[in-house]
Amino acid sequence: MDYQPAKKFERVNIEIINTCNLKCSFCPVPGRESTQMTAERFAQLAKSLAGITKEVVLHLLGEPLSHPDLDGILRAATDVSLPINIVTNGVLLSGDRVDLVLRPIVRQVSISLQSYGNNFPTQDPTLYVERVKRFTDRALTERPDLYLNLRFWDIEGSKNYETNHNHGLRDVLATVYGFSWADVTVDVRRRKNHRLTGRLYLHFDSRFIWPDSANEIMQTKGFCHGLTGHFGIHADGTVVPCCLDHNGDMPLGNAFTQSIGEVLSSPRAVAMREGFARGELVEDLCKRCGYISRFKQTERSGGREVAQ
């Protein structure tokens, strides 16, 4: 019998293209053939996902704004009223890309600012930040309902965001947006956001170790929201339990040739889901994941998982 979730997934990550215009040290290099998903394939997925997920995030690997038919992708989502969340490095956020991103079907845009500093550490980031600012200014005017996250996901530790590697970028950002870093207080274990205005936020998170078969085993017990809160689909249709399975080391099936319910009810998917429910990591890759350690101290309260 096909798997039917008790409630909607929080998100499904769909990789519409697995190549990127930047090379960031914190992102893994995919060991897969360069692939992009056609709008027709995406439309097929959108129809099957519309009833089981709250939104689709255009993110796993790759830069979604570089997809040659982003228009078709967003039209397909609009046709089935499937909200879209876009994660981008912001380098291509100009011209017709902005018009596309501001369409009503897009619910949230997250701009990974740390990507610029990581790729161009000696360059003046002013033009880049001003491009981002033009976009967010227009979004705040035309789409005040649109959530905007300016990401710094390279903090070393939970509280001290000043230890990240984008000092020049941070200074320019404060100047262009007109705020003081002295007023920004975060602790990524409890509150990761700092609101600038409207639905525009600074968003912080710490570095983590991507799961890889070459990593040492980090834990054998633990919990993850994979397959209960979210799952991912690669550009070639391969379904994976989470967005960190960048090479498809834990393939559950293929969404282009099988129904989503069939894939999610496969023996491997069931074993993983039941293992997480028991606090056991049944997959070797999960044991070698640095992100899953964030859920180590997890308790069940009223039937829901509460990370401490």
Side-chain angles (χ1 to χ4, degrees):
M1 181 180 295
D2 284 357
Y3 174 70
Q4 296 293 329
K7 60 180 181 178
K8 284 188 175 184
F9 288 96
E10 291 297 318
R11 67 184 185 279
V12 175
N13 290 75
I14 298 184
E15 174 190 82
I16 58 174
I17 187 168
N18 67 357
T19 56
C20 188
N21 57 325
L22 297 181
K23 293 183 178 180
C24 299
S25 63
F26 49 78
C27 278
V29 178
R32 297 181 276 131
E33 180 181 355
S34 298
T35 310
Q36 63 187 37
M37 186 182 295
T38 66
E40 292 74 21
R41 289 289 201 185
F42 182 87
Q44 172 188 337
L45 295 180
K47 290 179 181 178
S48 63
L49 294 173
I52 66 169
T53 185
K54 295 179 180 179
E55 68 176 10
V56 158
V57 184
L58 300 186
H59 178 62
L60 208 144
L61 288 185
E63 169 53 54
L65 297 192
S66 68
H67 194 287
D69 194 12
L70 183 59
D71 171 65
I73 298 288
L74 296 179
R75 285 180 183 275
T78 302
D79 287 344
V80 294
S81 301
L82 182 60
I84 295 294
N85 184 329
I86 295 176
V87 179
T88 173
N89 56 47
V91 171
L92 303 177
L93 203 51
S94 61
D96 67 333
R97 301 286 101 174
V98 174
D99 295 332
L100 293 174
V101 170
L102 290 180
R103 286 187 179 176
I105 199 62
V106 179
R107 176 184 174 273
Q108 177 171 299
V109 178
S110 296
I111 305 171
S112 298
L113 298 178
Q114 74 276 1
S115 302
Y116 187 88
N118 189 261
N119 281 267
F120 311 106
T122 62
Q123 292 189 19
D124 184 347
T126 300
L127 293 178
Y128 169 71
V129 174
E130 289 177 344
R131 180 188 306 121
V132 172
K133 178 69 159 50
R134 285 193 295 272
F135 164 71
T136 57
D137 282 351
R138 183 177 166 188
L140 287 167
T141 299
E142 298 181 16
R143 288 286 315 280
D145 60 318
L146 179 65
Y147 288 97
L148 304 164
N149 286 330
L150 304 181
R151 283 184 172 182
F152 278 102
W153 278 28
D154 64 347
I155 302 173
E156 295 174 358
S158 63
K159 294 183 178 180
N160 191 1
Y161 57 82
E162 294 185 358
T163 59
N164 73 46
H165 302 272
N166 291 290
H167 297 287
L169 180 60
R170 285 204 323 276
D171 293 343
V172 170
L173 189 74
T175 299
V176 172
Y177 276 90
F179 70 90
S180 171
W181 284 102
D183 298 326
V184 179
T185 56
V186 296
D187 182 339
V188 298
R189 295 170 301 184
R190 297 178 177 85
R191 185 171 64 86
K192 301 181 181 184
N193 292 327
H194 175 83
R195 188 170 73 90
L196 293 178
T197 184
R199 292 186 173 181
L200 173 64
Y201 297 84
L202 297 175
H203 191 274
F204 303 90
D205 214 333
S206 54
R207 294 185 176 189
F208 61 88
I209 300 173
W210 284 74
D212 192 285
S213 59
N215 295 345
E216 294 184 357
I217 291 179
M218 302 175 191
Q219 64 270 311
T220 58
K221 303 288 185 179
F223 171 80
C224 179
H225 293 285
L227 295 176
T228 53
H230 65 272
F231 62 92
I233 303 176
H234 286 180
D236 65 358
T238 300
V239 179
V240 291
C242 76
C243 64
L244 298 183
D245 187 3
H246 57 282
N247 275 330
D249 292 319
M250 297 181 288
L252 304 176
N254 192 288
F256 296 157
T257 59
Q258 301 169 270
S259 71
I260 295 297
E262 180 184 358
V263 172
L264 296 181
S265 60
S266 67
R268 190 172 197 174
V270 171
M272 289 187 68
R273 198 160 49 241
E274 292 180 349
F276 290 145
R278 297 190 306 268
E280 297 180 10
L281 306 180
V282 300
E283 289 283 346
D284 184 71
L285 194 69
C286 297
K287 299 173 184 178
R288 304 172 192 272
C289 175
Y291 194 89
I292 208 170
S293 62
R294 299 183 180 196
F295 306 119
K296 272 187 177 180
Q297 297 180 26
T298 302
E299 65 181 9
R300 294 187 176 276
S301 175
R304 62 188 179 90
E305 291 78 20
V306 181
Q308 297 181 327

